[in-house]
Structure formats: C-alpha cells, structure tokens
Amino acid sequence: DMQFIDSTSINHLMKYISYASLKELAHKLFLPNDKYIFIYATGFSAIAAEYLYKKLLVLGKRCILAQGGDSIGIFENNLDNMELFFVISKSGETRFVLDKVKTAKENGMQTAAFTGHGENSVGRLADLWFQIEDSGKLDDRNMMANTFFPNVMMLIELMVYEYHRILVRDS
C-alpha cells in the first residue's frame, strides 16, 4: 500500500526531528577533542549502531562501540575518557540502554538518543533526542517492513552531511 511507500520519504524522516538539533549534534562532533564517543545499542539497533561507529571512525573520531551482550566493564571502565554517548533504541524503553543513559548523564556526558517516535524513557532523559517514525511499534520482533532502521541510517548521513558543511565553512 502507498502509505508504506510514502513513509520512505525525507519528509517522514524529519517529521519529529528539529534540523537545528541535528546541526547541534554535528557541531558537537566537530569540536576537537581527544575523548571518546561511546555508542551503545542492542538487537537490530546494534546493526545501525555499528554503521554509526564505522562512519565516525572514517571521520577520524575516537569511538567505542558496545552492544547488549558486552561486558558492563567496557562502559564503566571508560567513563572518564568519554564525552559523547550515542544510543539507538527503537522502543526507547530497553532497560540496558536506559541504565547506560542514566549513568552517562550522572557522569557529565552529553547524550544523544535515536528512538522511535512518541513518549519514551530514553528520549526524555537524553540531551539530544531524535524521534524517528516507527511504523511498527508493536512489531518488537521486527518481522514486518519498517522504515525505522533505514531512517536511522539516513539520519546518520544527514549528521555527516552537516559535519562536512561545518568543516568547509570553518576552513
């Protein structure tokens, strides 16, 4: 049906997102820093997190990627070396993710969350919250077609686009 096809447009991606917030995030990435960016996600979101991780690495950013099954020590033992904490959570309610956002904030880190749209605990807690339309909120096993994950990737690309605009402007 056309509703799903229409949901693949850029207008749907930006439906709940302020472009100013996206530019702010790109600016945070641009600031010279020798601290690490920590990226965390579980399940299908971990696939998008790995994409973000690799994208930031090719930009020369220091990153640590952890996923649901990884040791809590990876996160806790590197808190002093981190400045920015990214999470991706379709539901915005995943306990592992929520606990790490709380810890990151308690330790003075800036937090950025990519979640499905609508009220959720992770988004409310994050400094920068990017709500991405989730056409399958009830599909927790991700069996149906859904634009959430491809739109997370598009959002990453928009962030990189803004990063490069800052790079050109400031050089």
Side-chain angles (χ1 to χ4, degrees), residues 16-169:
Y16 304 101
I17 296 172
S18 138
Y19 207 81
S21 293
L22 188 63
K23 288 168 96 168
E24 182 181 343
L25 183 57
H27 187 73
K28 285 182 189 309
L29 288 176
F30 186 76
L31 296 173
N33 198 316
D34 59 354
K35 289 199 169 194
Y36 281 82
I37 296 166
F38 198 95
I39 304 162
Y40 185 78
T42 66
F44 274 86
S45 294
I47 298 166
E50 185 173 351
Y51 185 80
L52 172 61
Y53 170 69
K54 289 181 178 180
K55 201 72 181 182
L56 292 176
L57 284 177
V58 299
L59 292 177
K61 300 298 166 188
R62 294 177 173 197
C63 300
I64 297 172
L65 171 66
Q67 301 174 1
D70 290 338
S71 162
I72 187 77
I74 293 173
F75 180 67
E76 289 180 350
N77 294 337
N78 288 288
L79 283 171
D80 292 344
N81 300 319
M82 290 185 266
E83 181 193 31
L84 184 58
F85 183 58
F86 273 98
V87 292
I88 302 171
S89 173
K90 183 170 153 334
S91 70
E93 297 297 341
T94 307
R95 176 62 44 205
F96 283 129
V97 177
L98 185 57
D99 290 346
K100 286 186 183 50
V101 172
K102 286 178 183 172
T103 303
K105 288 198 58 84
E106 287 164 3
N107 284 274
M109 258 180 278
Q110 291 284 300
T111 54
F114 297 175
T115 74
H117 69 284
E119 279 299 307
N120 65 67
S121 303
V122 169
R124 277 195 308 273
L125 202 55
D127 296 309
L128 291 171
W129 180 14
F130 300 92
Q131 295 185 61
I132 299 163
E133 189 170 39
D134 180 1
S135 58
K137 279 187 167 193
L138 301 178
D139 183 19
D140 59 351
R141 291 183 289 172
N142 199 31
M143 296 173 70
M144 302 303 291
N146 189 333
T147 56
F148 175 77
F149 295 106
N151 279 339
V152 168
M153 306 290 223
M154 278 301 295
L155 188 61
I156 292 167
E157 292 301 331
L158 278 172
M159 180 183 68
V160 170
Y161 169 77
E162 284 301 328
Y163 174 87
H164 282 288
R165 286 186 51 185
I166 293 167
L167 193 64
V168 168
R169 184 191 72 209

